């Protein structure tokens, strides 16, 4: 078995040198460029040679490239030189502070960035970190690949326990932290993904997910390299502008594996018409993975209804669960089997308590989609977050995980590492687990994700989960954008008032009576959950704060609301009842 992803690259370059590994699309449609396995090997070796000559081994390098093919060459070049890669998003000039903070946190020694990225960000990052060395792909790839081949081969086969890269968390519930992912973590997780999704050398991955984020990097870019398969890439902005470009790329390029967060499937339905969908052929799509945020049953049904006439099979929908702290993948359903849907009473989902099943459509009940089970050596327990005692199946608690995919901790943050990566079960102090911060329950052998521990709403002593309220709210009125709501409570101690921020559709923005929409939301939430939404903030489409992977940043919503910084179309208030 190959020890590192670099060893995989060498083997496939030897066995299938002319096979195209990466294809990138211009505006998500026309062919932009390609890269074969042999070309990838040679480019990676040349980059590694340059970085080795500069004596950056063991240091950290920020990788800032918008083009995914150029990005992966630089990323792998870092790994091949023993440089710890730090992949990050390419923001605009006005939002460069987040990247600068990551660079400062990671103790960056150099930045690998395109000329456009350098123009946008060099001043901000150098101000935060001091003057750094900046290199583009051209400057690093002009040397001889053969000079580096021996050194790269040595690294490829002998550094499994060394840190390969820092994967910064999405920041959905707090400041981003740099997860230390080793070569061994990466290979263990790629093996799990391959088994769970039944990947192979003839798989064709089509991806638009951000290539610097764990799902885009490990799932879209590196899993095909692990398998000796192919990957077709488009930019996230090209998908957001025209979501149907994603499905057309799957159709045109014979995509077998592709996916994204829940909101991506919603966008494909709401922003396409029947006539625009004509000609799509989704019959070769075998794995439509959905993760990064709670999987909405309604979204799945709408997506299947819209695209079944174009060859989409219900059995390809693949709910999964994971996080950067466990490299990427933790649980997934059985590939080829329809995702299980279980209706539960939402008022009974209290930490430590047993769930109560309900009939579909019942009051204070909601359908939950199962996210499968663990693979290989991954062990998972549902634990009471306060007593640290394991809970029986059917009881709600925090998800704890251990196994070869669990990363080494947070870079330069020993306290947070001890808390998250050093958790122990009561009575078993020698076996550390990763505390995920997510709440879940095992039902019929499948993990059901209930919510985030930090996001739980407590009203009159009872737990409520924001996504349940958000799902109810968005269905209350046609003026509300699907998946466009964020729910939280006020920051003050003992303040139980519930606040909802929700995007309007473009039609709703022009014509909706906000008082009427608010009344509809409150009536639906009271009927289904028995609580009042005290403040409703209406915002324009696309204004709800999200992470790069699409997760709703509810804590950031709270902060914006408390400061009065939302550019609200309207705020409808109501006293607590």
């Amino acid at each position: 078995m190959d020890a590192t992803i670099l060893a995989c690259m060498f083997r496939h370059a030897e066995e299938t040198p002319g096979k195209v590994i990466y294809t990138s699309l211009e505006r998500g449609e026309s062919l932009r460029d390609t890269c074969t396995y042999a070309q990838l090997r040679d480019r990676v070796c040349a980059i590694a040679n340059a970085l080795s000559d500069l004596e950056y081994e063991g240091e950290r390098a920020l990788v800032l490239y918008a083009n995914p093919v150029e990005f992966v060459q630089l990323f792998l070049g870092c790994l091949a030189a023993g440089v710890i890669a730090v992949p990050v998003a390419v923001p605009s000039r006005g939002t460069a502070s987040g990247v600068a903070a990551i660079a400062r946190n990671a103790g960056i020694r150099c930045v690998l960035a395109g000329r456009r990225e350098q123009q946008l960000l060099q001043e901000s990052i150098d101000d935060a970190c001091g003057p750094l060395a900046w290199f583009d792909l051209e400057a690093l790839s002009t040397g001889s690949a053969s000079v580096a081949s021996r050194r790269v081969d040595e690294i490829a086969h002998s550094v499994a326990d060394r840190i390969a890269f820092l994967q910064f968390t999405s920041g959905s519930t707090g400041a981003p932290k740099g997860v230390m992912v080793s070569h061994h973590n990466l290979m263990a997780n790629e093996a799990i993904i391959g088994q769970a999704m039944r990947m192979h050398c003839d798989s064709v991955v089509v991806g638009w997910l951000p290539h610097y984020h764990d799902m885009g990097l490990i799932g879209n870019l590196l899993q095909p390299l692990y398998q000796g398969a192919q990957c077709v890439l488009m930019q996230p902005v090209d998908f957001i502008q025209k979501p149907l470009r994603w499905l057309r790329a799957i159709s045109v390029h014979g995509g077998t594996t592709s996916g994204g967060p829940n909101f991506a499937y919603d966008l494909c339905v709401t922003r396409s018409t029947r006539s625009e969908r004509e000609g799509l052929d989704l019959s070769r799509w075998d794995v439509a993975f959905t993760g990064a945020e709670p999987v909405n049953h309604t979204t799945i049904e709408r997506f299947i209804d819209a695209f079944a006439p174009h060859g989409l099979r219900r059995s390809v929908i693949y709910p999964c669960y994971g996080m950067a702290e466990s490299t990427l993948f933790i649980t997934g359903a059985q590939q080829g089997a329809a995702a299980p849907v279980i209706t539960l009473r939402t008022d009974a989902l209290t930490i430590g308590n047993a769930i109560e099943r309900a009939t579909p459509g019942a009051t204070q009940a909601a359908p939950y989609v199962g996210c499968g089970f663990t693979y290989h050596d991954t062990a998972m327990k549902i634990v009471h977050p306060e007593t640290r005692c394991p809970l029986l199946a059917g009881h709600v608690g925090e998800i704890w995980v251990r196994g070869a995919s669990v990363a080494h901790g947070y870079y330069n943050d020993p306290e947070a590492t001890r808390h998250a990566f050093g958790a122990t079960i009561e009575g078993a102090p020698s076996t550390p687990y990763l505390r995920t911060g997510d709440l879940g329950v095992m039902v019929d052998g499948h993990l059901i994700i209930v919510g985030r521990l930090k996001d739980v709403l407590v009203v009159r002593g009872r737990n409520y989960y924001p996504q349940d309220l958000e799902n109810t709210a968005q269905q209350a009125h046609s003026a509300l954008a699907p998946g466009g709501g964020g729910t939280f409570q006020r920051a003050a101690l003992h303040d139980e008032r519930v606040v909802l921020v929700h995007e309007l559709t473009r039609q709703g923005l022009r014509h909706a009576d906000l008082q009427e929409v608010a009344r509809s939301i409150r009536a639906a939430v009271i009927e289904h959950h028995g609580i009042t939404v005290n403040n409703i903030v209406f915002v324009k489409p696309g204004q709800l704060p999200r992470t790069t992977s699409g997760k709703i940043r509810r804590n950031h919503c709270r902060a914006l609301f408390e400061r009065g910084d939302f550019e609200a179309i309207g705020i409808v208030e109501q006293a607590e009842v």
Side-chain angles (χ1 to χ4, degrees):
M1 179 179 176
D2 295 320
T4 67
I5 198 71
L6 297 167
C8 292
M9 177 190 70
F10 274 105
R11 178 165 57 84
H12 296 313
E14 182 68 26
E15 294 172 355
T16 56
K19 183 175 181 177
V20 172
I21 165 65
Y22 297 118
T23 298
S24 68
L25 303 179
E26 185 72 34
R27 296 189 177 277
E29 297 174 1
S30 58
L31 182 67
R32 178 175 181 175
D33 53 25
T34 62
C35 178
T36 67
Y37 277 95
Q39 289 170 335
L40 179 66
R41 175 200 57 201
D42 292 346
R43 184 62 63 90
V44 167
C45 286
I47 293 167
N49 187 49
L51 290 172
S52 296
D53 286 347
L54 292 164
E55 299 183 344
Y56 284 122
E57 182 175 350
E59 302 291 351
R60 290 149 306 284
L62 206 66
V63 187
L64 266 168
Y65 253 83
N67 183 298
V69 175
E70 295 173 337
F71 165 87
V72 74
Q73 292 170 354
L74 285 164
F75 176 85
L76 293 169
C78 286
L79 271 57
V83 176
I84 299 173
V86 184
V88 290
V90 179
S92 63
R93 190 184 300 275
T95 59
S97 59
V99 172
I102 288 174
R104 184 172 57 249
N105 179 288
I108 294 300
R109 279 288 308 280
C110 65
V111 182
L112 314 184
R115 292 176 183 176
R116 176 179 174 274
E117 289 86 351
Q118 291 189 30
Q119 292 172 354
L120 283 171
L121 299 168
Q122 186 165 0
E123 182 178 350
S124 298
I125 292 177
D126 283 354
D127 285 347
C129 304
L132 296 171
W134 289 68
F135 305 98
D136 62 16
L137 180 64
E138 183 178 352
L140 291 174
S141 58
T142 55
S144 170
S146 61
V147 174
S149 61
R150 185 190 60 79
R151 173 66 177 140
V152 172
D153 187 66
E154 175 189 332
I155 290 175
H157 292 90
S158 64
V159 295
D161 289 330
R162 288 177 56 174
I163 302 302
F165 63 101
L166 302 184
Q167 177 67 66
F168 272 79
T169 59
S170 62
S172 58
T173 59
K177 295 183 283 292
V179 178
M180 297 184 288
V181 180
S182 71
H183 290 273
H184 180 65
N185 294 147
L186 177 60
M187 290 297 284
N189 210 242
E190 295 295 5
I192 289 173
I193 294 169
Q195 180 192 9
M197 297 188 182
R198 298 183 182 176
M199 300 288 289
H200 49 79
C201 64
D202 293 324
S203 296
V204 179
V205 175
V206 177
W208 58 267
L209 293 163
H211 48 268
Y212 46 82
H213 186 265
D214 54 359
M215 189 184 291
L217 173 60
I218 296 159
N220 284 352
L221 285 176
L222 299 185
Q223 175 62 201
L225 182 57
Y226 178 84
Q227 298 289 348
Q230 299 179 65
C231 181
V232 179
L233 298 160
M234 57 193 296
Q235 295 281 7
V237 66
D238 295 327
F239 162 73
I240 296 297
Q241 288 174 349
K242 292 184 179 181
L244 210 58
R245 284 171 170 163
W246 172 34
L247 303 190
R248 286 204 189 99
I250 293 172
S251 176
V252 170
H253 296 278
T256 63
T257 306
S258 192
N262 191 85
F263 81 89
Y265 294 90
D266 261 329
L267 284 182
C268 287
V269 176
T270 59
R271 293 178 54 189
S272 67
T273 65
R274 288 186 179 181
S275 61
E276 289 172 331
R277 299 169 195 159
E278 289 300 320
L280 284 176
D281 177 8
L282 305 178
S283 62
R284 288 168 289 183
W285 199 359
D286 293 328
V287 179
F289 60 82
T290 173
E293 60 182 354
V295 182
N296 188 309
H297 172 60
T298 302
T299 297
I300 289 176
E301 292 302 314
R302 292 174 67 217
F303 187 77
I304 291 171
D305 288 345
F307 295 100
H310 305 284
L312 180 73
R313 291 159 283 145
R314 177 179 293 275
S315 61
V316 310
I317 303 298
Y318 189 90
C320 51
Y321 163 70
M323 61 194 312
E325 286 85 347
S326 189
T327 305
L328 172 61
F329 186 97
I330 296 175
T331 69
Q334 182 179 351
Q335 193 273 327
V341 180
I342 302 163
T343 303
L344 302 175
R345 288 187 60 88
T346 56
D347 58 344
L349 295 176
T350 302
I351 296 172
N353 286 3
I355 60 165
E356 295 182 24
R357 294 179 185 258
T359 56
T363 301
Q364 297 192 29
Y368 288 82
V369 180
C371 289
F373 33 82
T374 59
Y375 292 80
H376 281 210
D377 72 332
T378 303
M380 181 177 65
K381 291 185 181 295
I382 305 299
V383 179
H384 195 293
E386 296 176 4
T387 68
R388 296 187 292 114
C389 291
L391 297 168
L392 297 174
H395 288 66
V396 177
E398 186 180 10
I399 303 165
W400 288 23
V401 179
R402 65 189 305 265
S405 292
V406 174
H408 288 221
Y410 298 121
Y411 180 78
N412 201 27
D413 197 339
E415 183 177 347
T417 296
R418 281 193 298 271
H419 174 76
F421 291 84
T424 56
I425 300 291
E426 181 66 26
S430 62
T431 306
Y433 280 80
L434 166 67
R435 297 187 64 162
T436 67
D438 291 317
L439 294 170
V441 57
M442 292 300 296
V443 183
D444 298 340
H446 281 263
L447 176 65
I448 301 289
I449 305 298
V450 175
R452 290 286 293 170
L453 187 59
K454 292 181 179 180
D455 286 341
V456 172
L457 311 174
V458 182
V459 180
R460 296 188 291 275
R462 179 170 288 173
N463 291 349
Y464 296 88
Y465 299 92
Q467 70 272 14
D468 294 335
L469 275 63
E470 292 155 8
N471 291 340
T472 297
Q474 77 168 43
Q475 297 176 57
H477 201 284
S478 61
L480 299 169
T487 309
F488 53 90
Q489 287 177 297
R490 303 293 297 270
L493 188 65
H494 306 308
D495 190 337
E496 294 190 345
R497 286 176 292 176
V498 176
V499 181
L500 170 69
V501 179
H502 214 296
E503 295 176 349
L504 297 169
T505 63
R506 299 194 183 280
Q507 186 76 6
L509 188 63
R510 291 191 292 266
H511 303 296
D513 179 336
L514 298 188
Q515 292 290 339
E516 177 196 344
V517 178
R519 284 193 294 271
S520 298
I521 290 172
R522 289 198 173 100
V525 172
I526 288 173
E527 177 184 356
H528 290 282
H529 305 284
I531 62 174
T532 297
V533 181
N534 303 100
N535 301 82
I536 302 175
V537 181
F538 295 106
V539 295
K540 294 179 181 179
Q543 293 300 301
L544 185 70
R546 295 180 182 272
T547 68
T548 55
S549 63
K551 295 178 183 177
I552 298 165
R553 299 178 64 194
R554 297 185 180 92
N555 282 350
H556 189 54
C557 287
R558 178 188 293 111
L560 291 174
F561 178 80
E562 298 287 355
R563 296 198 304 263
D565 285 349
F566 269 115
E567 296 182 11
I569 303 303
I571 301 177
V572 181
E573 300 182 9
Q574 178 172 308
E576 184 179 9
V577 297

